[in-house]
Amino acid sequence: MSQNRLLKGIDWTVLILGFLIVTFGIMNVYSVNPDLGEKQLIWFGLGMVMILCLIIASGNNRNFFEIYSPVFYIVSLILLVGVLIVGKEINGAKAWYRFGPLSLQPAEFAKIGTALLIANFINHSNANLKDISFVGKVLLVIAIPVALILLQPDLGSVIIFCSFSIALYREGLNPWIIIAPIILLVIFLISIVQIPFYVLLILGFIILTIALLILAFNYNQNVIDAMHGILIGLSIFFLLLIGICYLVEDLSESTRESFGHLFPMRALFFSEPIFFNTVFFGLIGFAISIIPVLILKLTEQKEMNNSPFKTQNGLSANVLNFSIIVSIVLLLFASTVSFISPIIFEKLPKHQKERVMVLYEGEAKYRDTSGYNLLYAKTAIGSGELYGKGYNQGTIKKGRFVPEQQTDYIFTAVGEEWGFIGSTALVIVYAIFVGRLFFLAENQKNKFARFYGYSVASILFFHFFINISMVIGLFPTVGIPLPFFSYGGSSLWGFTILIGIFLIIHYKNSQGFI
């Protein structure tokens, strides 16, 4: 086989960018702690040995990883179960195996096994992400490792499993299955610090505005019928919200005090202004929602040749009824989430509540507890200014003011010693690196390789985006390392194997192996 033939399928862009990131990461870990920097170099070398073993094991079989994907998945589950029994508890989470000086976090490898098995499912001829039963099987594959990781508990790793939504969307998953949980999460976070009645009123008016805009600029009869169904659902929702407000207002004084204890974050939760505003704006929302429906009912018997409301048989009963039911169910579900959010939040451990409240109230208020890391992380990054203080010259780093700076907060060392230019360059390299992986994934010849490639790129994107957002105060503090950069053998091996498998699959597909 010629040299050109052998080199075909090797993506030099990913390899070069990956080695640049790893090298720069080891340099920064070494700057924070020379001993750990040397160990990180050893971990990376061992990771390369693991990739070599995978190359040898897969041989010329292009379908090796698809065939053995159930094995990868089952082994990862066994490791997750085992760590709950014999694992070492670190920072409140029983998520690590300890073998002398070596620690191993099985959650890093569970992402690989899950990605491979779902890719196997997707590649079957009868796979259909429009089929609820098939979607249920895929979600079950994700839910099992997520449940085991929650038992540790390791919230950071659980969040990363949400990255599979990007790959599933690419393969045809209904986007609302992804969007709906995001909306509910936003409602949960907002309802922690805002009056639920106000949150729901705003949600109702946002949906109302969108529905009216679609009605005004759409001529598709099914869409028009669906929007009118949503408007009817909204009118019922606004009336129910007013009814709940009256019910709360009529509670006895002792009951109000009990409810007030359940909602300690809400000042004057049952005050007169809240009652008046809810009723007033609820009636306005009800009127705006029902008027277009009434107009249609009054005019549906007339000829409306130039009107988007033209209909031959009135409202389509199936579309209308379905839209009414779905809109009411979803709005009631959102209302339930909003009202119980403060109760759930109040039951969280103190440090977890503070991590969320830091986003709303700033790190200065919690500088002696959960805001400490963020306060000094921002200080370190800001002190680097444009060009940085120079390699190994960070004063905040040397003072050890930022805990876990070699792991989750390694980006602070980049900001302090390499400045805005160095930090920006690193972000750009990461963006190109992840973008290239998405590009390669999209151009794969089969669904297995494409889905796995999208999963790899999505996992790396989530790690990168959340870690940087966490360090600069745009996301709560969670244990999510920066890929190929943060210190740790488990994470470095996990990322190396994750990408290594994809590059092996890409190479074999390019070579046309059987």
Side-chain angles (χ1 to χ4, degrees), residues 57 77 81 97 130 194 238 243 266 271 285 348 352 361 417 476:
L77 293 185
V81 172
Y97 287 104
K130 303 296 182 184
Q194 296 296 331
F238 282 118
R266 217 86 68 290
S271 66
L348 292 176
Q352 292 185 7
E361 301 178 338
E417 297 189 345

Side-chain angles (χ1 to χ4, degrees), residues 381-452:
I381 294 172
S383 68
E385 298 183 344
L386 185 61
Y387 298 105
K389 298 174 181 177
Y391 181 62
N392 208 23
Q393 299 300 313
T395 54
I396 296 176
K397 178 209 70 178
K398 290 181 178 179
R400 300 287 190 267
F401 288 104
V402 181
E404 305 298 332
Q405 191 170 14
Q406 73 277 7
T407 54
D408 298 341
Y409 281 83
I410 189 65
F411 189 73
T412 61
V414 179
E416 184 179 13
E417 297 189 345
W418 301 89
F420 176 78
I421 292 178
S423 301
T424 302
L426 178 61
V427 170
I428 291 173
V429 170
Y430 264 116
I432 297 173
F433 182 62
V434 174
R436 180 65 181 176
L437 288 171
F438 275 119
F439 175 80
L440 291 179
E442 182 61 32
N443 287 277
Q444 293 304 304
K445 297 179 180 179
N446 58 68
K447 290 183 179 180
F448 176 85
R450 184 173 66 202
F451 180 87
Y452 182 75

